[in-house]
Amino acid sequence: MKTYTTRLDRFISQNSDCSMADTRLLLAQRRIMLDGVVADSVQQAVTKFTRVELDGVCLQSEQPVYLALNKPAGVVSATKGSKHPTVMDLVQHPRKDELHIAGRLDFNTTGLVLLTNDGAWSSRISSPQTKLPKTYEVSVSEPLSGEYVAAFQAGIYFAYEGITTLPARLEILSAYRARLSLVEGKYHQVKRMFGSFRNKVLALHRVSVGPVCLGGLEPGATRPVDASELAEMSRQVSGT
């Protein structure tokens, strides 16, 4: 998802009767406000969600949208163009046409999907470099043991790519159920990790992405991601 960012002087020239050259005078006269703060440089970045005011007139006031959705099985993580129901078919929001998916789930995998119109945010949380933890509840066909816990922590070798997965935390809940937390998202990674033990994954359900948890959200329902979750998400992806 591409993100929109431009310099302040370019934004002013494109959205008012003033030129790029005029912007320096406007700044000296303290006539431009960015997100409620007096602007001080022609090079300041303006994103699609920056509130820009010139002489008290708002030139842009777009607001970001962040939603958590509980995806049922049999629903495609796509916005359109599928013969099956998509996650967007489940969303009831006045700005749903602006939204895209930040972290997809397979067709039969259920649980937490994040939706937003903020491309920069979705890029940050989806990037492998952020190592944002994602937690799943897994049901398998064969009994689990402590051997799995140690192997997942050490990393599972995928011969096809010649790579070893990053350490993952496995908590055994019962003989056939576990909770798995990992910080990467390779192709069918969870199924392949258990597959290294010749143990088939029967059900996979994502319960959290970073600080955002599914909680009691009903299948097919959505809720806004709240301010405290967004703040903690920002802290985690920035590594502070």
Side-chain angles (χ1 to χ4, degrees):
M1 175 58 61
K2 293 183 178 180
T3 59
Y4 166 85
T5 303
T6 190
R7 282 171 42 133
L8 175 59
D9 54 356
R10 184 169 292 110
F11 177 90
I12 292 297
S13 70
Q14 293 173 344
N15 293 276
S16 74
D17 294 331
C18 302
S19 68
M20 291 180 67
D22 292 334
T23 305
R24 293 188 183 277
L25 177 60
L26 298 174
L27 291 173
Q29 296 173 337
R30 300 172 63 85
R31 293 166 59 185
I32 304 174
M33 304 279 286
L34 299 183
D35 292 328
V37 178
V38 177
D40 59 13
S41 170
V42 295
Q43 297 183 25
Q44 282 185 262
V46 176
T47 74
K48 66 180 290 188
F49 301 119
T50 305
R51 181 179 176 87
V52 184
E53 296 172 82
L54 173 60
D55 293 334
V57 176
C58 184
L59 303 181
Q60 174 180 271
S61 60
E62 286 286 326
Q63 294 297 311
V65 176
Y66 308 98
L67 298 178
L69 179 144
N70 187 351
K71 186 185 93 65
V75 173
V76 179
S77 290
T79 55
K80 59 184 178 180
S82 172
K83 62 182 180 180
H84 300 285
T86 72
V87 294
M88 298 311 295
D89 294 327
L90 304 174
V91 176
Q92 301 296 321
H93 191 279
R95 297 170 67 185
K96 67 178 289 183
D97 291 342
E98 302 175 22
L99 303 179
H100 62 270
I101 301 164
R104 300 169 185 269
L105 291 178
D106 293 339
F107 184 63
N108 287 316
T109 300
T110 61
L112 180 61
V113 171
L114 297 175
L115 301 160
T116 185
N117 60 351
D118 185 344
W121 185 79
S122 61
S123 294
R124 287 196 304 274
I125 68 172
S126 301
S127 171
Q129 283 70 42
T130 63
K131 294 183 171 54
L132 191 69
K134 302 169 185 67
T135 302
Y136 299 81
E137 291 179 351
V138 189
S139 296
V140 293
S141 61
E142 302 297 329
L144 299 165
S145 69
E147 182 183 2
Y148 287 74
V149 177
F152 280 38
Q153 178 61 38
I156 302 293
Y157 180 69
F158 289 166
Y160 182 77
E161 297 98 328
I163 58 172
T164 300
T165 62
L166 293 174
R169 183 176 182 273
L170 185 71
E171 177 187 359
I172 297 176
L173 304 176
S174 66
Y176 298 92
R177 291 183 61 248
R179 182 176 291 113
L180 174 65
S181 182
L182 66 167
V183 295
E184 55 188 345
K186 301 189 183 304
Y187 180 71
H188 289 321
Q189 180 170 344
V190 176
K191 294 176 181 177
R192 294 169 70 192
M193 291 175 79
F194 284 97
S196 69
F197 287 88
R198 300 186 184 278
N199 200 345
K200 184 179 180 180
V201 172
L202 302 178
L204 185 60
H205 181 70
R206 187 159 68 191
V207 296
S208 68
V209 175
V212 183
C213 299
L214 203 56
L217 194 63
E218 293 293 325
T222 61
R223 68 166 178 84
V225 178
D226 66 37
S228 63
E229 291 171 323
L230 289 170
E232 178 60 19
M233 181 79 82
S234 179
R235 187 192 70 79
Q236 290 188 17
V237 300
S238 64
T240 59

